[in-house]
Amino acid sequence: MKITIITPTLNNEETILDTLDSVSGQTYQNIEHLIIDGGSKDQTLKIIENYNKKKIKIFKKKTNIYQAINYGIKKSKGKIIGILGADDIYQNCNVLKSVSDKFYVNSNTDMIIGSLVYFANKNYNKVLRYYPNKNFSNKQFKYGMMPPHPSTFIKKNVYNNVGHYNEKIHISSDFKFFLQLIYKKKISYEFLNKVLVRMRMGGVSTKNFL
């Protein structure tokens, strides 16, 4: 079962290498890593191009973050799709294996939701916030809460059947998408009770958190 990881980039020269190492270092090898670069002016593309890993594919397309994600979904060949920001890393080298195993055991499940932690910019071990999946329930949408997006993996056929992210919403399109999937379409999902992603504070979705 191939897993596609989509990473939108834009001037991420200081963090992209950590993200690349995190994906390429996974023990689960049936993966592809799609980089959708929105027009980086720094060394981001040079770092990626010099990385020289066959499973990495680079697409240069001037887009906002959700246009990039949608473009990656359309180009993906995996049965399962995960979104990993260019500031973020997987918790350990067995994350994608755990995801694959969970989908294998729960073959009818459309989506698997893990937990994540936020860490200080240059200190991977300094956890600033814990975002557990077990705290999520449908009623929390009313309070602006949603599953942790980077630690959620969705079957590609869900996107084909339900649609993609709203590209006109630049920050919270993932909230609207999850609302549609879970609250309206009532797709099936399972919790994977592990921390799957370490998310760096200061990225697009966390810069105003404090």
Side-chain angles (χ1 to χ4, degrees):
M1 175 168 34
K2 184 181 286 294
I3 299 177
T4 297
I5 305 303
I6 299 170
T7 299
T9 57
L10 182 63
N11 299 324
N12 298 109
E13 63 180 6
E14 295 184 0
T15 61
I16 187 61
L17 187 58
D18 291 338
T19 304
L20 296 174
D21 285 343
S22 175
V23 176
S24 67
Q26 293 293 303
T27 57
Y28 189 79
Q29 290 294 298
N30 191 10
I31 62 176
E32 64 173 1
H33 192 187
L34 307 188
I35 309 291
I36 318 298
D37 187 80
S40 292
K41 301 298 184 183
D42 63 0
Q43 297 297 306
T44 299
L45 281 172
K46 186 175 181 179
I47 292 170
I48 299 169
E49 289 166 351
N50 289 341
Y51 200 72
N52 195 27
K53 298 289 183 179
K54 294 181 179 179
K55 294 181 180 180
I56 297 176
K57 299 177 183 177
I58 307 170
F59 298 92
K60 302 173 185 179
K61 189 174 179 65
K62 290 197 173 183
T63 59
N64 65 42
I65 188 169
Y66 291 106
Q67 289 172 337
I69 291 172
N70 285 342
Y71 186 79
I73 292 169
K74 293 172 185 176
K75 292 292 184 180
S76 66
K77 296 181 180 179
K79 183 177 180 181
I80 307 300
I81 294 177
I83 314 296
L84 187 68
D87 300 308
D88 309 327
I89 59 175
Y90 285 124
Q91 171 74 352
N92 56 54
C93 64
N94 292 314
V95 164
L96 297 185
K97 182 180 186 304
S98 297
V99 170
S100 174
D101 290 346
K102 188 73 171 179
F103 271 113
Y104 182 79
V105 172
N106 301 274
S107 59
N108 293 323
T109 296
D110 293 317
M111 179 167 68
I112 286 174
I113 304 170
S115 298
L116 66 80
V117 295
Y118 296 89
F119 68 92
N121 184 28
K122 294 183 179 181
N123 187 345
Y124 302 110
N125 297 316
K126 186 176 181 180
V127 174
L128 300 178
R129 182 189 177 199
Y130 176 48
Y131 193 165
N133 59 9
K134 64 181 181 180
N135 288 348
F136 173 76
S137 65
N138 288 16
K139 65 181 180 181
Q140 288 184 310
F141 279 118
K142 297 178 181 179
Y143 305 101
M145 300 297 291
M146 57 175 271
H149 190 203
S151 56
T152 299
F153 293 80
I154 303 173
K155 286 183 176 177
K156 184 174 181 177
N157 62 17
V158 171
Y159 291 104
N160 294 337
N161 295 333
V162 177
H164 294 176
Y165 296 89
N166 187 324
E167 297 177 357
K168 296 180 180 179
I169 305 175
H170 292 273
I171 297 296
S172 58
S173 185
D174 50 356
F175 178 84
K176 184 176 185 297
F177 184 69
F178 278 115
L179 185 66
Q180 182 179 7
L181 288 185
I182 296 174
Y183 201 78
K184 292 185 67 177
K185 299 297 183 179
K186 302 185 186 306
I187 70 163
S188 60
Y189 62 88
E190 297 281 343
F191 292 120
L192 179 55
N193 294 318
K194 295 181 178 181
V195 173
L196 302 183
V197 172
R198 299 182 79 84
M199 195 170 185
R200 193 186 310 264
M201 292 299 291
V204 172
S205 60
T206 65
K207 63 182 178 180
N208 295 318
F209 172 72
L210 293 180

